[in-house]
Each structure stands twice: as C-alpha cells, then as structure tokens.
Amino acid sequence: MATEKGRFDRLRKSQAFWWVLGYFVVLCCGVGLIYYWRVAYDFSALGAWTATALVCGGFSVLYLLVFLNAHFIKQNYALKCAILVFVAGLGFVFANPPLQAPDENMHFLRAYSLAGGNFAFNQQEEFPADVDLLVRDFPGNYNWEMPLSDDHSIADAFERYRADLAANDTTAPNAETWIQQALPHLPAAAGMAVGRIFGASALVCMYLGRLTNLLFYALCCYGGMRCCKQFRSVLTALMLVPIALFMAGSTSSDAVLLGLTWLFIGICLSDGVTTRRAVALALSFGVLFTAKYNFLALLPLVFLIPKTEWTVRGKKLTGKRWGWALAAALLLGTLLIYGAQTLHTALLSNYQGLTYQLGGIRPGDQMKFILFNPVRYLAVFVYSVYLNKGELFSGGVFGWRDAIVPFVSYFTPLLLMLSAGFDALCGARAKAKTGWLLGLTGVLFYGFTYTGMYLTSTPYTMVQILGVQTRYLLAAFFVGFALMAMLCGKTMELQKMTRETTQKTPPEWRMLHISFVFAVISALLLFQTYYIGA
C-alpha cells in the first residue's frame, strides 16, 4: 500500500503526467466542440470525422506551442507573454472575416495605398479592381447590411469574391477612404507590400497586413512587459483581452495604437528611465497623441517613473534636471511626429473637409455648447457612462458592433477583476501617490474619450453621447483595475504581510495562462458566430 502511495505521489508531482493529462483534456474539448456544432447548428459543411480531425489537429498544434513556450522559455516572462499574445491573436486574425473590424475597410485602403509606395492622400485615388471587389463583397456591418441567410453568409461572400476575380468583374464602385494618417498604418503596409511584390490578391494582402499588425502589437507587448514592474497581472490580462486581440489582428490603426499604449504604460511602471526608454516613451506618446487627442490623458502616468540616476551623453541627471530632461524628450517627440504628420497632410492631401456620419455635427458649435452649458454637459456625460456601464460589459461586441458574443461580454470584467486580485500584493506595496495618479488618469481618459465622441458623433440636443466603444477605453480599464488591486491590497490580511514577501509562482504567470485560454475560447466563439451559426 505504501509503495502504491509513493508511486502515486511521484506521478502527481511529475510535470509529464500533467502535460499528458492536459493534452487528453484538449482532445476531448475538440471532439466535444464538433459534436456541439453538429447538434446545435446542423454543421454539415464537413464530415464528422474530417471536422473532428481538423479541430483536434489545430488544438494539438496550439497545445504544442504552449508546451514549447513553457518548457524552453522559463524565466523571460516578457517573451513568453509576447508569444502567447501572438498565438492567441492568430485566432482572431482568421476568425474575423475580411474587413469586419470597425472601419477596417478604410484602414485597409490606406495601408494598401502605402504598400504601393503612394504616400499622398488622394481623395480620387484609383485602386485595383480586386481591391474594389473586396470592399464591395465584404461590406462593413456584414450582419446588418447582408443578413445571414442561405444566400448571404460569410462563406458565400468568399465564393462571390473568388467568382468575381475569376470573371474579371469591373463593375464594383471605386473604393474610398477618409483616413489621412500614415504612421499607424506602416506595419500593415509592410505586410501588404510583401503580398503586392509577389502579385497576391487584395484578400491575401489584407491577411498579410493583419499578421504584421499583430506582430507589431506583440512586440510592443514584449517591450512594455519587459519594462513593467507593477500591476503586471492587470497589464497581462488587458494585453490578451479579446477585444484588444480582435483589433490587433485587423488592419485597423488601433492595432498599433493599442500596442503603443501598453508600451507607454509599461515604461511608466518601470524601475527607472534610460535613454532608450525615454526615446520609446516619447515616440509612442507622439504617435498616440497625433492619432487621437484623448491619449493626452496618459501623461499623469509619467510621474510614476521613479527618479533613478539617468545618464545622458556622460552626464548624470538627477533632481529637477531629470524631470526637465524627460519632459523635453516627450515634448520633442510629440512635436516632431505631430508636426511631420500635419505637414505631410497639408502638402500631400487633396481632401476638402471631413464629413461626419450624422448630419448637423459641427465640433466648434458642440464645444461652445459645452462651455456655455457645463452643468448640462456634465449631466449628459454622467448619464452616458451610467447607461453604457462604462463600456465594461461590452467586451464581446465585435465587428462593426454587429457581432455580439455574450459569453465574452459577461466574463471579460470577471477576468479583469481576477487580475486585480492577483495584483493585490503589488497594490498593498504601492504608495498613495500611485493611487492618485491612476485615478486622475482614469477620470481624464473617460472625460476626453466621451467628450471627443460628443464633439464628432453626437448632436448637442441629445441626452446621451453616441459612438463610444470598449476599444477606446482599454487604457482607462487598466488604471481602474490597478486601483482595484490597490483597494484589495489594503485589506487586513495583506497588511500583515511584509513588503519583502515573495510568492512561489508570480501571479502574472497564472494570469497569462488564464487570459490565454479565455482569448482562445473567445476566438472560437467569434468564429462560430460568423461561420458556424450562419
């Protein structure tokens, strides 16, 4: 009996045993998924055995990548995180049909134009016929504009596009874009340029652009996590939150902006500044601010960087000189990028004026209304945040807000709350100054984002602000759940723990695996929404 118990204990402590058991569970999940699809959706596109083999094979490859990541990258958490971000993001790259991220058609056209070496913003630009066909056959808001039926499913759209290409159809209207920015589209343009060199179709170029955008996002996550020393679990969860990966795996400029957001936050939560970090901080903030003014709200986080010794050209900067040097770097980076973008647009654009989706929108008049009626606007702002629950429960609203996955919306806040709990010890160690700066950043970010949408998307007579989406507020979510981690850390039990207390397994490692599994499940559910349940 003792011998058997000893064998069981050795088996229980064996990593190989748990990996084999985990693989068996993964295979069971693959079989169960196909069975569920065939029962619930009359899934008959493939035979039962073929579909099961494909899904189990895909799950096996995914499991192998996770095993290799865990086995060969043991100490470099930033690299491990970046790899899993990229792998999970691949699910969204292919689960999301062409051009179904918000405004992706216009972002795709701008990146495609840049990929061809055209850095001018021409309102009458002529795109190749296959680009026009792609935009026509995969319209935005697909679930609304082309209701899913036997004749208008996503699968039909692929068949239609393939047939139109074969027939050399030239009847598609000329595609147009209002996007007049270059920098946030360069990663996608790089992937599309490779496709154009080898004569790939517009559809293939679009997927290549998505892949390079996702790669850039993963690299930014690596840089941010390598620098970050506080609230790493919360930052990990937000890097892998489904709506962030959904945008990262698209040709939208939001893939670049979100990646730079995590890089900026990671540097602000680092153990000090170096010349390389200062340059990265300045360039990332310059791109963010030039693209969307609401990123100005992130500036208070800069004051979280500890004033450690910083050597620039052989001179050690301390005290006020340290602060002035960092401020000068941020200002210089922002002015260079903002000035270059403004000059670029002024010299190489023939667009007349920006039109807004709703008639009667005039930002100048909207701003005057706010200034002369501040109390009313404050009431509208508070009501809008309350009505939308701060967008916390809209994490499963994909597509052009026309592909809704309730499971993701319900569990995204729970995932972020769990990350705050994992970071409770970090929150207990944080200073009061950290809490005040995080709170200020959150208030400013919500205020700037909602006000921006009020100026550009909401008639001033309305009692609620239109157009706010979860993807706009992910940075505000970070500071909110970091504050929650601080509140959790002030409990009596954690107060008894010493500041030097260490945990056997860092909490961010657990958070990484949980977030990765949640992201993979979310990608499968999005794929089901578009392709299986149609």
Side-chain angles (χ1 to χ4, degrees):
M1 187 67 180
T3 304
E4 294 296 328
K5 185 177 183 300
R7 290 176 180 174
F8 177 77
D9 288 339
R10 286 193 297 272
L11 187 64
R12 182 173 56 85
K13 295 177 181 178
S14 170
Q15 290 188 1
F17 168 75
W18 290 109
W19 278 108
V20 172
L21 180 61
Y23 182 56
F24 175 74
V25 173
V26 165
L27 291 180
C28 289
C29 289
V31 174
L33 180 65
I34 292 299
Y35 184 78
Y36 165 67
W37 281 351
R38 289 177 63 83
V39 171
Y41 298 108
D42 191 25
F43 176 64
S44 56
L46 295 171
W49 291 106
T50 303
T52 302
L54 287 174
V55 170
C56 289
F59 281 16
S60 298
V61 171
L62 195 65
Y63 194 77
L64 176 63
L65 291 174
V66 173
F67 170 75
L68 294 175
N69 191 42
H71 189 70
F72 293 104
I73 308 174
K74 295 183 178 180
Q75 301 302 324
N76 193 337
Y77 177 75
L79 181 58
K80 182 189 292 287
C81 180
I83 291 174
L84 291 187
V85 163
F86 184 79
V87 172
L90 286 176
F92 288 92
V93 167
F94 297 104
N96 180 26
L99 308 182
Q100 294 311 296
D103 300 321
E104 190 177 9
N105 53 2
M106 291 190 288
H107 291 277
F108 161 72
L109 293 172
R110 176 54 58 218
Y112 191 90
S113 180
L114 293 171
N118 180 16
F119 286 85
F121 306 118
N122 182 7
Q123 193 169 12
Q124 289 79 40
E125 181 174 356
E126 292 287 338
F127 289 95
D130 62 337
V131 173
D132 296 333
L133 289 173
L134 184 67
V135 174
R136 183 191 70 180
D137 291 341
F138 293 93
N141 285 329
Y142 197 95
N143 284 353
W144 287 345
E145 293 187 15
M146 301 187 73
L148 296 179
S149 66
D150 291 339
D151 298 324
H152 299 293
S153 68
I154 290 293
D156 292 327
F158 279 101
E159 290 295 331
R160 187 166 52 250
Y161 176 70
R162 189 160 38 245
D164 290 342
L165 279 181
N168 197 22
D169 188 350
T170 59
T171 62
N174 292 330
E176 296 181 348
T177 178
W178 281 98
I179 304 295
Q180 299 180 72
Q181 291 186 343
L183 281 177
H185 297 91
L186 291 181
M192 294 182 194
V194 174
R196 294 189 68 169
I197 289 172
F198 289 95
S201 68
L203 180 64
V204 173
C205 287
M206 187 220 64
Y207 278 110
L208 288 173
R210 285 183 170 185
L211 289 173
T212 49
N213 258 0
L214 177 62
L215 178 61
F216 180 87
Y217 178 82
L219 290 174
C220 287
C221 291
Y222 170 76
M225 195 55 70
R226 186 176 181 181
C227 297
C228 183
K229 302 300 179 185
Q230 301 181 69
F231 306 112
R232 287 159 66 91
S233 296
V234 177
L235 189 57
T236 297
L238 280 161
M239 286 176 175
L240 281 156
V241 79
I243 194 65
L245 292 178
F246 173 74
M247 297 307 304
S250 72
T251 59
S252 171
S253 63
D254 276 12
V256 173
L257 300 182
L258 283 173
L260 293 178
T261 299
W262 306 141
L263 177 61
F264 182 89
I265 291 175
I267 295 174
C268 289
L269 296 175
S270 65
D271 54 1
V273 69
T274 62
T275 301
R276 183 180 298 178
R277 289 179 183 178
V279 171
L281 197 71
L283 293 179
S284 59
F285 181 76
V287 174
L288 291 171
F289 176 75
T290 301
K292 295 180 180 180
Y293 295 156
N294 65 320
F295 284 108
L296 182 66
L298 293 178
L299 273 182
L301 296 180
V302 174
F303 294 97
L304 292 176
I305 303 175
K307 291 186 178 181
T308 55
E309 187 177 280
W310 178 17
T311 303
V312 179
R313 293 186 177 181
K315 295 183 179 180
K316 295 181 180 180
L317 303 179
T318 57
K320 292 183 178 180
R321 294 177 63 188
W322 185 96
W324 282 110
L326 185 58
L330 281 171
L331 181 61
L332 181 61
T334 303
L335 288 178
L336 284 176
I337 294 174
Y338 186 83
Q341 176 63 55
T342 303
L343 184 63
H344 182 195
T345 305
L347 295 177
L348 298 177
S349 174
N350 62 5
Y351 283 78
Q352 299 302 314
L354 183 64
T355 60
Y356 297 97
Q357 186 174 5
L358 296 178
I361 299 294
R362 293 183 294 274
D365 293 342
Q366 309 281 99
M367 180 58 73
K368 288 180 182 177
F369 183 81
I370 293 176
L371 295 176
F372 285 102
N373 302 273
V375 177
R376 183 187 186 279
Y377 175 70
L378 181 61
V380 171
F381 168 75
V382 172
Y383 176 68
S384 300
V385 174
Y386 164 77
L387 188 66
N388 298 327
K389 301 177 182 63
E391 292 296 327
L392 278 171
F393 295 91
S394 301
V397 181
F398 299 105
W400 292 47
R401 300 183 70 81
D402 64 326
I404 301 173
V405 183
F407 174 88
V408 180
S409 293
Y410 296 151
F411 282 92
T412 295
L414 296 178
L415 180 79
L416 297 177
M417 290 173 64
L418 181 63
S419 71
F422 279 169
D423 273 340
L425 185 56
C426 174
R429 295 167 178 162
K431 298 179 181 179
K433 173 187 173 183
T434 301
W436 287 110
L437 289 173
L438 289 173
L440 176 61
T441 301
V443 171
L444 289 177
F445 209 95
Y446 264 93
F448 289 173
T449 302
Y450 273 81
T451 301
M453 297 311 297
Y454 182 81
L455 295 178
T456 59
S457 302
T458 309
Y460 61 80
T461 55
M462 295 196 67
V463 297
Q464 70 178 87
I465 299 173
L466 306 178
V468 180
Q469 300 178 33
T470 303
R471 60 192 174 103
Y472 300 153
L473 296 165
L474 292 177
F477 288 0
F478 170 80
V479 297
F481 284 96
L483 279 172
M484 183 179 292
M486 292 186 66
L487 292 175
C488 293
K490 301 306 178 182
T491 61
M492 294 302 295
E493 290 299 319
L494 283 176
Q495 285 296 308
K496 295 176 183 178
M497 300 177 71
T498 64
R499 292 181 180 272
E500 290 74 24
T501 299
T502 58
Q503 294 164 283
K504 185 177 180 180
T505 302
E508 60 266 25
W509 291 68
R510 292 192 177 96
M511 196 69 241
L512 175 62
H513 298 138
I514 294 171
S515 298
F516 175 77
V517 171
F518 181 65
V520 171
I521 293 173
S522 300
L524 282 171
L525 292 175
L526 183 63
F527 178 82
Q528 174 182 292
T529 300
Y530 274 117
Y531 292 96
I532 306 300

